[in-house]
Amino acid sequence: MSREMVGPDATTLFGPWLTPPTPVPGAATTTFSEDDASLSTDERELIFARRPVGTGNKDLMVMRKDSAGVWGAPTLIAELDDAESNSTPRLSPDGLTLYFASNRAGGNGGAEDLWMSTRTSSTAPWTAPTPMPLVNSAGNDR
């Protein structure tokens, strides 16, 4: 498909893409608010923040693509879960470090501090998150 088939200014409408964005099956719902998605460089893992519409704290979720290219159902990243809000996940290029914002206890006291967690492989569990004191401030660091 050429850019002309999409519209006269597809670069402005969709950036470098030729078609408009479409929801990832299973990730976009009307029951939850999903945002802040981070896609692994091999495009097989999608990490995003989710919360019930209108209420509650955000949780970090993961979806994995199977060998047939089909996305699995979203699951909670349990080892990073707590009673507080966790948002804005960003996966490192090698997929072994996850950075995110949280208002959990142990940070610098800002509205949301930056945290990180690591793993040894894409199938290994995440380590207990640690705050990033060199970048966190008394303000909102998200």
Side-chain angles (χ1 to χ4, degrees):
M1 176 185 294
S2 72
R3 290 183 194 270
E4 291 74 35
M5 294 176 70
V6 175
D9 193 6
T11 301
T12 301
L13 294 174
F14 311 121
W17 311 110
L18 297 178
T19 60
T22 58
V24 174
T29 68
T30 56
T31 308
F32 296 97
S33 172
E34 296 92 1
D35 59 21
D36 295 331
S38 184
L39 185 64
S40 63
T41 55
D42 65 2
E43 299 182 2
R44 304 198 64 74
E45 188 174 48
L46 182 69
I47 297 177
F48 59 96
R50 172 185 267 185
R51 72 172 176 82
V53 171
T55 62
N57 289 323
K58 290 183 178 182
D59 292 317
L60 297 179
M61 309 295 289
V62 62
M63 293 177 70
R64 291 186 175 86
K65 197 182 283 186
D66 66 18
S67 59
V70 177
W71 288 104
T75 58
L76 178 70
I77 303 176
E79 57 268 36
L80 301 180
D81 191 40
D82 67 357
E84 303 304 326
S85 191
N86 300 294
S87 65
T88 323
R90 297 295 180 262
L91 197 56
S92 65
D94 66 5
L96 302 180
T97 303
L98 183 67
Y99 304 94
F100 62 97
S102 180
N103 60 354
R104 65 181 60 214
N108 275 9
E112 286 186 287
D113 286 321
L114 299 178
W115 294 75
M116 65 180 283
S117 178
T118 59
R119 60 185 177 182
T120 56
S121 74
S122 63
T123 58
W126 293 102
T127 60
T130 57
M132 300 177 63
L134 296 178
V135 295
N136 287 333
S137 69
N140 186 350
D141 299 306
R142 180 175 56 142

